[in-house]
Amino acid sequence: LYNILKDNKIDILHTHSSKTGVLGRVIGTFAKVPRVIHTSHGYPFNNYQKLVIYGCYFFIERFAGMFCDKMVTVNSEDADFANKKLKIPKNKVAYIPNGATPLEVEPNRDSLASKSEITIGSMSRFWQQKNMIKSVEAAIEACKVDSRLKFVFVGDGEDLSICQKMVNDSNLQAKISFPGWSSDRDRWLKSFDVFILFSLWEGLPLGILEAMAHGLPIIASDIKGNRELVNSANGYLVSPNDIDGLKNILIKLFDNKADLISKGKESLKKVRDEYSMNKFNKNYKNLYRELTK
């Protein structure tokens, strides 16, 4: 990487992710790249790690922060953390949220009013971060209370077999399905009436943004990133450890379809007003111009 940067006389090095972000920032500085930018899509440390692991990642990130001209975060809480905890000066921190492209033809979510069943869907990897086991547990409990609910959990991962067994043991295969991994996000998002993401930690989840761009109301865990996108106007927030709280939201959905329609429209409006790809691209263009003056 050092030789590539030197030989090609790179003007701006922009890094992403954790390992490559650390290596790229340090090597870029020693290769005397004029400007080095790093975008953090969520820090590599979180409250679910052992303290020693958290501490190691924290100090590595703090060290790497010394080797960039601009630290970009995708949510405002991480921007504040970068300044106050990682000790990166405010003038070197930029907040640029992710973006999404709304559908060209606005979905007819008003049709939800006449449906006899509500489909709550998710597209996610089945692993610790996404908290899928608790999502499925809440779905099982909700289906026992209201048979008008249907759940579709799209994705795969190490926790998928556990979730499938939970549903099989509850004899709810007709109400809770696992289609597996799919790259056809549009197809699935168009088939959902509500989108759910019950993660333990996030940066700024593209899954929620894409669901909002499809005009869906959102149920999400009350964590940083999620709460930047979701509020009472376009969805529901609940603690990622509160399965009963999630179940109570789910069992009230069918009898509040008018509210869901309103929340879905607000989701679409929020993407258009605040999180469009045009705005995302403009923010990065302005950042590059600022650094190359």
Side-chain angles (χ1 to χ4, degrees):
L1 177 59
Y2 177 88
N3 290 333
I4 291 172
L5 294 173
K6 292 290 286 186
D7 294 344
N8 290 278
K9 298 180 180 179
I10 301 298
D11 294 311
I12 296 178
L13 173 64
H14 192 162
T15 66
H16 297 262
S17 80
S18 302
K19 183 177 179 180
T20 54
V22 172
L23 293 174
R25 279 177 278 177
V26 174
I27 294 171
T29 299
F30 280 102
K32 296 184 179 179
V33 174
R35 292 289 181 264
V36 177
I37 306 169
H38 175 65
T39 294
S40 169
H41 298 274
Y43 296 121
F45 43 86
N46 61 73
N47 293 331
Y48 297 91
Q49 294 167 328
K50 292 181 180 179
L51 185 59
V52 64
I53 295 175
Y54 181 103
C56 286
Y57 283 138
F58 174 87
F59 284 108
I60 289 171
E61 189 61 46
R62 187 166 174 176
F63 168 77
M66 300 165 58
F67 294 88
C68 64
D69 298 284
K70 212 72 165 183
M71 171 76 153
V72 180
T73 69
V74 295
N75 69 64
S76 58
E77 291 181 65
D78 276 351
D80 188 57
F81 188 93
N83 173 239
K84 293 181 178 178
K85 301 296 184 181
L86 298 179
K87 304 301 181 183
I88 300 174
K90 275 189 176 181
N91 65 341
K92 288 191 173 185
V93 178
Y95 160 52
I96 301 180
N98 296 325
T101 303
L103 294 178
E104 291 183 8
V105 178
E106 186 168 337
N108 179 24
R109 295 299 178 187
D110 290 331
S111 62
L112 174 61
S114 60
K115 289 187 176 182
S116 60
E117 191 175 58
I118 286 182
T119 301
I120 301 104
S122 174
M123 298 191 72
S124 180
R125 178 182 168 190
F126 284 72
W127 77 299
Q128 182 196 10
Q129 178 196 358
K130 300 303 182 181
N131 208 17
M132 295 302 292
I133 293 174
K134 288 186 178 178
S135 297
V136 172
E137 185 177 341
I140 290 170
E141 294 305 312
C143 285
K144 291 177 181 178
V145 176
D146 192 341
S147 62
R148 299 169 297 180
L149 302 178
K150 177 183 176 182
F151 293 84
V152 180
F153 295 103
V154 181
D156 59 15
E158 49 265 49
D159 289 341
L160 176 57
S161 59
I162 298 172
C163 293
Q164 289 173 321
K165 185 177 186 303
M166 290 166 59
V167 171
N168 292 340
D169 290 346
S170 302
N171 293 316
L172 286 169
Q173 298 94 320
K175 291 295 179 181
I176 305 174
S177 62
F178 303 93
W181 182 85
S182 174
S183 61
D184 193 352
R185 301 187 70 83
D186 279 352
R187 171 199 165 199
W188 289 107
L189 290 171
K190 287 176 182 177
S191 73
F192 298 160
D193 299 309
V194 180
F195 186 84
I196 182 171
L197 186 69
F198 202 46
S199 308
L200 297 177
W201 68 89
E202 289 287 352
L204 194 76
L206 288 172
I208 288 181
L209 271 174
E210 290 171 349
M212 289 169 60
H214 280 72
L216 289 173
I218 310 296
I219 301 173
S221 49
D222 189 2
I223 58 173
K224 67 179 180 180
N226 286 1
R227 54 177 165 253
E228 207 140 302
L229 298 173
V230 183
N231 54 40
S232 59
N234 73 324
Y236 309 87
L237 289 170
V238 60
S239 167
N241 297 307
D242 188 1
I243 296 176
D244 285 338
L246 178 56
K247 181 197 76 172
N248 289 334
I249 289 172
L250 294 170
I251 62 178
K252 294 175 183 177
L253 292 179
F254 192 89
D255 294 324
N256 288 281
K257 288 192 284 186
D259 192 38
L260 290 179
I261 292 170
S262 174
K263 289 179 186 297
K265 291 178 179 179
E266 182 60 29
S267 280
L268 186 57
K269 182 178 183 298
K270 193 176 180 74
V271 169
R272 286 174 171 163
D273 292 348
E274 302 176 40
Y275 297 99
S276 69
M277 283 304 299
N278 286 337
K279 189 169 185 178
F280 172 82
N281 292 334
K282 183 179 179 181
N283 285 335
Y284 268 109
K285 285 179 181 177
N286 289 340
L287 177 63
Y288 291 149
R289 289 193 184 105
E290 173 194 332
L291 292 175
T292 53
K293 283 181 180 178

